[in-house]
Amino acid sequence: KDEEEPAVDKSKPDSKKKEKPKKEKAKKAAAAGATAAMVTTAVDDDEEVEEIIEEETVEEEIIDESESSESDEDESSSEEEESSSSEETSSEASSSESSFTREVTQVAGAAAAVSAAEKAKEAESQKQQTPPPKKMGRSAKIADEDIEAQRQSVVRKKRPKVVYDEDTRARRRLGCILIAILLVLIGIGAGIGIGVGVFGTDDEEKSGPTTPSPTSPPAVPTRPPTPAPNAPPSATSSPVAGPTVEPATIGPTYADPVVDNVIRGSSATTPATAFDNPESPQSQALTWLQGNENLQFYSPEKQLIRWTLAVFFYSTNGTDWLTNTRWLSDFDECTWYVAGVSACNSDRLFANLVLGANNLQGTLPAELGLLSDSLEAINIRGVLTEGLTGTLPTEIGFLTNLKELNLRGNSLGGGLPIELSNLGALVELDLNGNEYGGPLPGSVVSAIPSLELLDLGDNNFTGGFPDEFADMTELTSLVVENNALEGPLPSSIGRMSSLQVLDLDDNKFTSVPRTVGNMTNLRSFSVTNNKVDGTIHTEFGLLVNLEGFFLGNNEFDFQIPSEIGLLTNLREGLDVSDNQLIGSVPFELGSLTALRQFRIRGNRIAGQLPGSLSALSVLRVFRIEDNDLTGQVPPDLCAIFDVTEPVAYADCNEILCPCCSYCCVEGLCECQFEETDPIRCAGSRL
């Protein structure tokens, strides 16, 4: 360096000042080469050498970029100075710099060769030992930090941040939303396709046959051996909850899904062996169901409902009904014939089995219990034939929504099943005109809290009037006429405060308690054709709402109490005929101005009729014969009779009655108008 310095022209001090920074840069480059050589000696395997070489390459690139950047800055700051320098000064500085650079390169190469020789020597002597990594000097760390900072700067310059305006961001968000919706739709479509591919074949198999019609049913399909039947509930068993129409989840399965649904779904009411006989109502109903054209669209619940109604049709000889419009057709069961009401409820479930007097014959099937979720009314009345026979099935207790059970005029017998007490919604129970016997089922019917009408008349019930009836606080009508009931009426009957109709006719009751006066809501009291003796209680005068008071054909004695005149609402009739009454007709009876029937015949009532009876202007029946009356019928009353022409009987040889249609002598009665008004005679034979 000292040798080359004199060669520089000292007359040009500005060029020397420019060479000085360049020499400092060359020294830094030499120091960097020496540092690289020292790092190379610290690497003890070929892989580390390769990594360090790669790092050196990157660092050299960064240093070049840094130098170029610094040179650009120097050039921009000293632009005016360079413009004034001459070309000669630039060439001399360049020659000096290149000679100095060559010397630095030779020194760096020698240092690298020395370090490489030392590395090879150490590798041979320490093959099994790995020397600990040498700590880098402070200057090397500072150099690395500068290099890393420059690397990050380069990376940041290569990846500029993109800034979008508001419209672009909105379009990108909308695009993302549309893409998400499209992906969801694609997923749904794929799921549907997979579901159709997996389950489509099963649905076709479950649809069943659709070609047969109800008029030509197919044969019952062959099925596997039937499982053991479920024992039907007995009449003495405890009440059980109603079955659901959903198919059972236990037991054997059948090849036909419809058969499987019906047999398993009806297991609570029908033993599986019932399907073994192809002529049974159950098998016929199943055959018909399999021929339904729309069977593939029916839910399991609807299948079971239609099968149940078909079992009822076959069990009651439906082909001979007076009207069976649309029954066992492919039309919806809500359109099948019922009398005067809609067949289905608002949920389109069959609710009203109301067929009236429609000539149903056969038996009530137990399968009706399967309609427990919907059936609200059963009304099947007999006509001239015997009608329904057999017993009331115990499965009737499943119908917890039933409000009306009217089987009047049939030939049902046996005892009433205890399961009737399950009918918590029942309002009307009418079994009049059947063949039930035994004691009145007081404990069964009294357990129905909502019951309002109970008609057990015209049967074969025996025994007394049960005390349990008094517990039916909601009961408004009780009819037990024409049975073989006997004994006194219990005093507990007075607790039936809601009762409006009490019909005890045609039995063998012997007495009526005075507590009957507590039944102030009674509108009709009838105990005709019994064996009641004693007096007509004055407490009857408390029944001010009575419209009909019938005590005929008993053994009442003493006289008619004047308190009967307080019953001013009597209109249907006052009947005390065929008893052993004495005394006279009370004047107070003239207050019964709305009365239509006045019957006192067949007693020992004496004296004259009071003139107050002329107020009975709407009478249609006037029977006073077979007594000991004298005098005449009040003339004003006869004047009314000439206009209204009621049926009037009297002992004309004992009491004058020119207006009576019939005059009786010793029990023989003849019409007085046979010649003058034969039509009046023909219409008065009552």
Side-chain angles (χ1 to χ4, degrees):
K1 291 180 183 179
D2 295 334
E3 293 176 357
E4 292 179 354
E5 284 179 358
V8 179
D9 190 359
K10 294 182 179 179
S11 63
K12 298 177 181 178
D14 293 335
S15 60
K16 290 182 179 181
K17 291 180 181 179
K18 291 181 181 180
E19 290 175 359
K20 193 173 185 178
K22 293 181 181 180
K23 291 179 180 181
E24 291 177 354
K25 291 180 182 179
K27 289 179 180 181
K28 289 181 180 179
T35 303
M38 291 173 65
V39 172
T40 305
T41 59
V43 179
D44 37 325
D45 56 354
D46 295 337
E47 293 180 358
E48 291 181 356
V49 172
E50 292 176 358
E51 290 177 358
I52 292 173
I53 293 173
E54 290 177 358
E55 290 180 358
E56 290 176 356
T57 305
V58 173
E59 290 173 356
E60 289 177 358
E61 293 176 355
I62 292 173
I63 291 171
D64 293 339
E65 290 178 359
S66 177
E67 290 178 351
S68 62
S69 176
E70 291 178 357
S71 63
D72 292 340
E73 292 177 357
D74 293 338
E75 290 176 359
S76 62
S77 62
S78 59
E79 184 176 359
E80 294 180 357
E81 295 178 357
E82 289 179 355
S83 60
S84 61
S85 60
S86 61
E87 294 179 358
E88 184 179 0
T89 304
S90 298
S91 60
E92 289 177 358
S94 298
S95 61
S96 299
E97 183 179 357
S98 33
S99 62
F100 180 76
T101 302
R102 284 194 299 271
E103 292 178 0
V104 172
T105 303
Q106 292 176 0
V107 172
V114 172
S115 63
E118 290 178 355
K119 179 180 178 233
K121 187 176 181 179
E122 289 175 358
E124 290 177 0
S125 62
Q126 298 179 359
K127 286 183 179 181
Q128 296 181 354
Q129 264 187 340
T130 301
K134 295 183 180 179
K135 294 184 179 180
M136 297 179 67
R138 182 176 180 183
S139 60
K141 289 183 179 180
I142 294 173
D144 290 342
E145 290 175 357
D146 293 340
I147 294 170
E148 182 64 24
Q150 294 175 5
R151 182 187 297 139
Q152 294 296 332
S153 175
V154 172
V155 171
R156 282 196 296 269
K157 289 180 181 180
K158 290 182 178 180
R159 297 179 184 177
K161 181 179 180 180
V162 180
V163 180
Y164 299 103
D165 57 15
E166 188 64 28
D167 292 340
T168 303
R169 285 198 296 269
R171 287 194 297 270
R172 288 171 65 86
R173 282 197 298 269
L174 179 60
C176 292
I177 293 172
L178 293 177
I179 292 172
I181 294 174
L182 180 61
L183 292 175
V184 170
L185 293 177
I186 292 173
I188 293 174
I192 293 174
I194 293 172
V196 171
V198 173
F199 302 106
T201 306
D202 295 339
D203 292 340
E204 293 178 359
E205 292 177 356
K206 292 181 181 179
S207 63
T210 58
T211 53
S213 63
T215 56
S216 57
V220 178
T222 304
R223 60 181 182 83
T226 59
N230 294 326
S234 64
T236 58
S237 61
S238 300
V240 294
T244 60
V245 294
E246 296 296 333
T249 57
I250 59 175
T253 57
Y254 301 87
D256 190 331
V258 176
V259 175
D260 183 70
N261 176 46
V262 169
I263 293 179
R264 297 168 64 194
S266 64
S267 60
T269 61
T270 310
T273 53
F275 296 92
D276 293 337
N277 180 7
E279 300 300 323
S280 68
Q282 293 81 7
S283 293
Q284 293 181 38
L286 182 57
T287 300
W288 168 80
L289 178 64
Q290 290 177 297
N292 280 200
E293 293 182 358
N294 299 318
L295 182 61
Q296 58 181 327
F297 304 111
Y298 296 158
S299 65
E301 179 184 22
K302 191 176 183 69
Q303 292 176 10
L304 203 55
I305 290 174
R306 288 175 70 87
W307 175 80
T308 298
L309 294 174
V311 171
F312 172 79
F313 182 88
Y314 287 115
S315 298
T316 57
N317 198 19
T319 55
D320 291 337
W321 293 357
L322 299 179
T323 305
N324 59 7
T325 305
R326 288 194 172 183
W327 275 79
L328 297 199
S329 69
D330 285 314
F331 288 103
D332 190 275
E333 63 273 12
C334 292
T335 66
W336 294 0
Y337 168 77
V338 292
V341 294
S342 176
C344 291
N345 57 22
S346 58
D347 295 328
R348 303 291 295 171
L349 296 176
F350 197 89
N352 296 303
L353 189 60
V354 179
L355 299 173
N358 200 31
N359 194 36
L360 274 71
Q361 301 181 41
T363 59
L364 280 177
E367 285 75 12
L368 287 179
L370 298 175
L371 302 179
S372 59
D373 289 341
S374 61
L375 199 60
E376 297 180 4
I378 299 176
N379 188 318
I380 304 168
R381 290 178 281 118
V383 288
L384 298 178
T385 59
E386 63 180 0
L388 298 175
T389 58
T391 61
L392 192 64
T394 58
E395 290 79 5
I396 204 77
F398 293 156
L399 303 176
T400 54
N401 292 318
L402 196 67
K403 297 179 180 178
E404 176 188 356
L405 179 58
N406 189 335
L407 300 173
R408 188 184 189 93
N410 287 283
S411 300
L412 299 171
L416 291 181
I418 192 174
E419 285 78 8
L420 275 178
S421 59
N422 278 348
L423 306 182
L426 193 65
V427 175
E428 177 181 346
L429 176 59
D430 189 347
L431 300 176
N432 191 297
N434 283 276
E435 298 179 1
Y436 288 108
L440 286 173
S443 59
V444 174
V445 296
S446 63
I448 306 174
S450 58
L451 196 62
E452 296 180 8
L453 187 151
L454 176 61
D455 192 342
L456 300 176
D458 198 13
N459 279 280
N460 299 317
F461 289 111
T462 59
F465 190 95
D467 285 326
E468 292 88 346
F469 279 2
D471 297 329
M472 293 187 286
T473 56
E474 300 297 322
L475 197 66
T476 60
S477 178
L478 174 61
V479 178
V480 292
E481 51 89 22
N482 196 22
N483 281 284
L485 303 173
E486 58 187 3
L489 292 174
S491 60
S492 60
I493 197 173
R495 302 207 318 263
M496 304 178 74
S497 57
S498 298
L499 206 60
Q500 298 179 15
V501 176
L502 179 58
D503 188 349
L504 306 172
D505 292 351
D506 300 305
N507 283 285
K508 299 177 182 179
F509 292 117
T510 57
S511 67
V512 177
R514 290 183 179 273
T515 55
V516 72
N518 297 330
M519 305 167 69
T520 54
N521 286 313
L522 270 180
R523 296 182 179 276
S524 177
F525 179 84
S526 183
V527 68
T528 303
N529 296 331
N530 278 273
K531 296 183 177 182
V532 181
D533 57 10
T535 62
I536 299 176
H537 301 311
T538 58
E539 284 79 6
F540 280 115
L542 300 175
L543 307 181
V544 294
N545 291 311
L546 272 182
E547 298 176 2
F549 189 40
F550 307 102
L551 307 179
N553 197 20
N554 279 281
E555 298 178 5
F556 286 106
D557 54 20
F558 203 58
Q559 62 184 8
I560 300 174
S562 60
E563 287 79 5
I564 300 302
L566 299 174
L567 307 180
T568 55
N569 285 315
L570 280 180
R571 64 188 63 186
E572 299 300 328
L574 170 62
D575 185 1
V576 293
S577 302
D578 299 314
N579 280 280
Q580 300 175 15
L581 298 173
I582 59 175
S584 60
V585 176
F587 177 85
E588 290 77 7
L589 296 188
S591 300
L592 309 179
T593 56
L595 198 63
R596 297 174 183 173
Q597 298 185 44
F598 183 77
R599 299 174 183 265
I600 61 171
R601 72 176 181 84
N603 286 282
R604 292 180 290 173
I605 299 174
Q608 295 186 4
L609 293 177
S612 62
L613 295 184
S614 299
L616 308 182
S617 58
V618 294
L619 283 176
R620 302 305 303 162
V621 176
F622 184 70
R623 302 289 298 262
I624 61 172
E625 79 275 17
D626 198 14
N627 276 289
D628 297 329
L629 296 170
T630 59
Q632 65 176 358
V633 174
D636 292 340
L637 186 59
C638 267
I640 295 172
F641 284 180
D642 289 339
V643 176
T644 59
E645 297 182 354
V647 176
Y649 285 70
D651 296 326
C652 295
N653 61 339
E654 297 179 2
I655 182 171
L656 183 61
C657 185
C659 59
C660 290
S661 54
Y662 281 84
C663 284
C664 302
V665 178
E666 295 182 357
L668 296 177
C669 302
E670 294 182 358
C671 184
Q672 298 187 85
F673 307 102
E674 192 70 46
E675 295 180 359
T676 59
D677 193 356
I679 295 178
R680 183 175 177 181
C681 292
S684 62
R685 290 189 175 92
L686 296 176

